[in-house]
Amino acid sequence: QVQLVEAGGGLVQAGGSLRLSCAASGSIFLINAMGWYRQASGKQRELVATITRDSSTDYAASVKGRFTISRDNAQNTAYLQMNSLKPEDTAVYYCNADIWGAARSGFLNYWGQGTQVTVSS
């Protein structure tokens, strides 16, 4: 019943910005760490950024200084602000979260369906 739904992807020119959101829904007791991953066509999925419940963050070297991950615990939502976008950022972006469902006694890991980000040159 727990779901992660991404939104905000689209087509943008190089140097532009996009803001992705990831909303968790369902019977949720607590969300621990959240993160963003991406998978370019024909390539493996890679970690982009992570954020703990107390908002400690970490970033892949390729996006450091350009992307910012944040979260709103009251809304069970994470965000990825992407600035200075490059064509190399083109990928499907996936949200990930460790969630303690209301009917469980521990955390499980969940993935969203992904949202396409395309950066044109």
Side-chain angles (χ1 to χ4, degrees):
Q1 290 177 290
V2 174
Q3 288 186 309
L4 297 175
V5 179
E6 301 97 334
L11 176 64
V12 65
Q13 293 182 339
S17 298
L18 284 174
R19 185 173 185 254
L20 307 183
S21 64
C22 169
S25 63
S27 300
I28 296 170
F29 175 71
L30 187 70
I31 302 177
N32 198 1
M34 304 185 78
W36 289 95
Y37 294 72
R38 67 186 182 187
Q39 186 167 22
S41 180
K43 297 183 179 180
Q44 293 185 325
R45 189 173 299 185
E46 64 175 347
L47 188 147
V48 176
T50 59
I51 184 166
T52 65
R53 182 165 178 82
D54 65 356
S55 295
S56 178
T57 60
D58 197 14
Y59 299 89
S62 59
V63 307
K64 184 75 173 180
R66 299 188 298 120
F67 291 9
T68 302
I69 188 171
S70 61
R71 65 189 291 170
D72 184 339
N73 291 335
Q75 296 294 322
N76 289 335
T77 302
Y79 303 92
L80 186 68
Q81 179 66 47
M82 304 185 294
N83 299 325
S84 302
L85 282 162
K86 305 174 181 179
E88 302 86 79
D89 296 317
T90 295
V92 177
Y93 284 70
Y94 296 91
C95 182
N96 179 268
D98 294 322
I99 301 175
W100 192 316
R104 297 202 75 257
S105 60
F107 288 98
L108 289 178
N109 189 254
Y110 294 85
W111 289 95
Q113 84 288 350
T115 185
Q116 176 71 48
V117 171
T118 302
V119 184
S120 65
S121 60

